[in-house]
Every structure is written in C-alpha cells, then in structure tokens.
Amino acid sequence: MRMVFRWFGHGNDTVTLDQIKQIPGVEGIVWALHDIPAGEEWPMEQILETRKMADHYGLNIEVVESVNVHEDIKLGLSTREIYIENYKRTIEKLAQVGVKVICYNFMPVFDWIRTDLCKELEDGSTALFYEKEKIDKIEPLELVRNLTKNPELTMPGWEPDRLKHLSNLFEAYKDVSEEDLWNNLKYFLEQIIPVAEENDIKMAIHPDDPPWPVFGLPRIITNRENISRFLKLVDNPYNGVTLCSGSLGANPDNNVAEMVREFADRIPFAHIRNVRIYENGDFIETSHRTSDGSVDIVDIVKAYHENGFSGYARPDHGRHIWGEKCRPGYGLYDRALGIMYLWGIWDALERAKREANHAGNE
Ligand code: DNO
Ligand code: MN
C-alpha cells in the first residue's frame, strides 16, 4: 500500500507540502490543475510547476485526481471528439512527468453532493452530512436558482464553468437514460484506454457519491454489479477503479471489503474513509475508525492486505477537528489521524503474516 495525500495546490489549500511530508508513510500528493476547465488540454508549464514544488519536498506526483470529463462526452454529443482528443493529449503529458494513475468520474453535472458541510458530531467536531429527504425534495430548477443566489453552496470538484450552465445541462440530460450513459462511457473508454496503456497510466474511475441517482440525473458506478459491468466495457488492466469506501459505503447494501476481494487486480487507487448511515438514508462522514461508522474499515484494509495490494491509497475526507479552518472534508488533522489508523491495521497484519510464515518454517 503506497500512501498518498490529496493536495489542492499552492494558494488553493490550507494544508502545506511541508506538513504533508511529516505525515508518517506519505510518499506523494494527489493533485490536479484545478483551474483548468473540464475538456481542456492541461498546459505542460503548469504540470511542471507542480512537479517542481513536490520535488522540493521529496513527494511524488504519481496520482492525479481528477482529469475531469467534459459533459459533452457524458452526453454523447458529436462535439465530444475534440474533448476526447484533449484528454488523450493530457494523458500523454502526464506520463512524461511520471504519473501512473488518473482518477476521474462519470457523474452527470455534479461531483459529490452533501446538504451540510459542517454538521456537528457528538464530540463537537464537524463533518460533511447528507440529508436524503432534503435532496430528494429538491427540484432541479430550484437548485439552479439557489446556486445563483448562494454560490458558496458549491463544493470542491464542482467546477464553476459547469455550474454556470446548470439549467442548460438539466435540459440536455432530460433524454439521457442510464443505458445511454453506459454507451457514452464505453465510447470514451474505447478511445482513452489504448492511450493510457501506451503511456503506462492506469485509468481509475471514482464511484458515484452518493451511489444513487440525484436530481433525476442518471448515476451508474454505484454497486458491485455495475462495477463488474464497467470493468468488462473494456477488459484491460489499464481500465480500473478508484475504490472509494465512503462513496460506496453510503449504501448499506454495498459490502466494500467483498468488492476489494473480487476486483483487487483492477484497483490501482483506494480511497479509504468511513461514513455512518442512518435508517432514513442520511449519512455523515466520521473518523476512519470502524466502530465510529457503518463501514468495516478493518475488513477493507484486511482485504487489501490479503491481496498484496501495492497500489496507491489515500484517506479521502476527514472531519474538521481541533478548530481547524480548511476546505470542507480536506483538513490536515483528521486525515492524518486516518492515515495512522490505516497504517496501524496494515502494520499489524504485516507482522502477523511474518510471524505466521516464521512459525511455518520452523
Ligand atoms: C469523494 C471524493 C470525490 C472525488 C472525485 C473524483 O469521495 O473522493 O470528490 O475526488 O469524485 O473524480
Ligand atoms: Mn472518494
């Protein structure tokens, strides 16, 4: 397991590279050029700037999250060709600086969705919260109006340029079914994966968060069956998954550890975090500890360990603790604690394996 940590870039993150460097066992940053709109080719100059900064701290830049997919690709419009070409050029450039994994998602219009970025937990910390009924009740048009009035409601990953065109987007998706989305994803993969393979970069789709349709928009990377279908769309080791325990774990029917066991060789990148789910479908992000949430993090790490997981892992989101002011879900403290929990489990499993081998040899 190779531990990495998401960093939003100089001037765009409260966490600094020298802080990241001091988290035990972290070898690299998970990065992106967040100011480049989806669909555009990433400029080499900016890519090199990131490499220079990371190099200075001895951190690698092998994992990118995300190179976002233009809506025209998800919608299957003929204009997608130009955006797919740009995507290929970006893959080639990233390979030149040593990138090994590109995380992306195929969620129409929105990336992750929450109703409260600062919901208080029993211990006084705050965390990202999803109130199911509130989202279910929202009419897409009402959402468009609210976002124009309160732009601060947007989240990291919701690129402003996409949201500006929200009402047009809802209109465009009106006739796009789940099957259409599957076809558009297949079309994209058939073009991208050969380029990724030539450049030795693993493409790793992030599951939908939450893993069910929202605002009447289709969502397809949601469960075991669909991940299995996804992997067969282009059956190639360069077509993989960013297995996100928190996103998939928001649905109690998803057993993430089982997915690790089933798809191990197609997971180049693991997002590991916990969520507590309530009976009414609400969920809140908790500490990584298994007993704090509904997701069995110990079993998930055990599943990775059993499979000799040598891919990248990051703690994904954390709570906001000790008064830290940070990007929602992306503070330093709780994510660093999460890493120590993950290493604690991993190291104990490594030790047990060594001791068992040793006993077997005697
Ligand atoms: C949620 C986060 C996501 C993720 C993007 C990847 O679990 O990991 O915001 O970064 O969806 O494209
Ligand atoms: Mn994730």
Side-chain angles (χ1 to χ4, degrees):
M1 181 164 69
R2 302 180 58 185
M3 194 62 76
V4 286
F5 198 81
R6 194 170 196 185
W7 187 62
F8 286 91
H10 187 63
N12 198 24
D13 201 317
T14 52
V15 182
T16 59
L17 291 176
D18 58 331
Q19 289 171 327
I20 295 174
K21 181 71 189 163
Q22 292 173 1
I23 308 170
V26 169
E27 59 169 84
I29 51 168
V30 175
W31 64 285
L33 298 182
H34 291 277
D35 57 337
I36 306 295
E40 278 185 26
E41 186 179 330
W42 287 15
M44 199 59 185
E45 210 176 280
Q46 270 177 268
I47 295 175
L48 288 173
E49 265 170 41
T50 305
R51 185 170 76 178
K52 197 167 156 211
M53 283 187 275
D55 273 355
H56 185 76
Y57 291 93
L59 292 162
N60 74 51
I61 55 163
E62 291 169 21
V63 185
V64 167
E65 176 178 348
S66 306
V67 180
N68 284 316
V69 177
H70 194 278
E71 294 300 329
D72 289 9
I73 299 177
K74 296 179 227 168
L75 285 161
L77 304 180
S78 57
T79 38
R80 67 184 153 180
E81 303 305 339
I82 172 84
Y83 300 118
I84 293 179
E85 281 312 308
N86 288 346
Y87 209 102
K88 292 181 190 167
R89 300 294 85 77
T90 300
I91 293 177
E92 288 162 357
K93 285 183 183 168
L94 291 174
Q96 284 173 40
V97 297
V99 168
K100 293 290 171 210
V101 174
I102 295 176
C103 169
Y104 68 101
N105 69 72
F106 215 75
M107 288 177 253
V109 192
F110 298 100
D111 194 330
W112 48 286
I113 291 174
R114 301 288 184 271
T115 52
D116 190 342
L117 300 179
C118 273
K119 176 90 167 172
E120 196 163 318
L121 283 150
E122 312 69 34
D123 59 7
S125 62
T126 63
L128 306 186
F129 174 70
Y130 182 94
E131 188 182 336
K132 185 153 189 308
E133 201 193 327
K134 198 162 172 184
I135 297 282
D136 290 350
K137 270 201 328 228
I138 291 179
E139 281 298 316
L141 283 176
E142 191 187 321
L143 180 79
V144 175
R145 275 196 300 273
N146 282 340
L147 278 177
T148 341
K149 273 189 280 166
N150 311 308
E152 72 280 1
L153 288 176
T154 61
M155 315 258 178
W158 293 20
E159 304 93 28
D161 68 308
R162 267 208 263 183
L163 298 179
K164 263 197 312 225
H165 308 294
L166 213 52
S167 41
N168 298 344
L169 279 174
F170 273 112
E171 185 61 27
Y173 274 104
K174 226 175 46 211
D175 300 319
V176 177
S177 67
E178 275 186 19
E179 283 311 306
D180 294 329
L181 198 57
W182 278 111
N183 287 334
N184 299 341
L185 177 53
K186 186 170 166 48
Y187 185 91
F188 172 67
L189 293 173
E190 280 170 347
Q191 297 213 42
I192 292 297
I193 298 301
V195 179
E197 183 168 15
E198 269 162 43
N199 287 279
D200 195 26
I201 288 188
K202 300 243 166 85
M203 295 299 299
I205 199 166
H206 191 284
D208 304 342
D209 182 356
W212 51 75
V214 276
F215 311 130
L217 298 163
R219 286 193 160 197
I220 52 180
I221 309 298
T222 50
N223 56 28
R224 192 208 76 84
E225 196 189 347
N226 288 8
I227 290 176
S228 170
R229 176 172 176 186
F230 165 81
L231 293 172
K232 287 185 199 118
L233 289 180
V234 170
D235 205 356
N236 177 317
Y238 286 86
N239 178 33
V241 181
T242 298
L243 202 82
C244 179
S245 65
S247 300
L248 292 163
N251 178 349
D253 297 336
N254 282 338
N255 182 331
V256 180
E258 261 174 34
M259 294 185 205
V260 175
R261 293 186 173 101
E262 181 170 354
F263 304 124
D265 57 339
R266 300 289 287 275
I267 308 175
F269 187 24
H271 279 186
I272 314 184
R273 65 178 162 90
N274 209 341
V275 285
R276 186 192 300 158
I277 42 189
Y278 298 96
E279 260 171 32
N280 61 4
D282 295 355
F283 64 85
I284 189 158
E285 299 186 2
T286 60
S287 96
H288 279 64
R289 199 168 180 214
T290 293
S291 54
D292 283 342
S294 310
V295 181
D296 191 344
I297 300 294
V298 174
D299 198 27
I300 290 171
V301 177
K302 199 162 157 267
Y304 279 116
H305 189 265
E306 276 162 26
N307 283 285
F309 181 63
S310 60
Y312 303 89
R314 74 168 181 90
D316 215 1
H317 308 157
R319 301 163 300 149
H320 320 113
I321 61 173
W322 305 334
E324 186 177 20
K325 299 268 173 287
C326 55
R327 301 179 74 99
Y330 283 98
L332 170 65
Y333 305 141
D334 201 40
R335 285 189 297 158
L337 289 178
I339 286 182
M340 287 312 286
Y341 183 68
L342 300 177
W343 278 141
I345 302 167
W346 187 269
D347 290 350
L349 292 168
E350 277 287 287
R351 171 70 63 91
K353 189 168 99 188
R354 265 207 313 277
E355 284 173 1
N357 285 343
H358 192 72
N361 291 337
E362 265 172 15

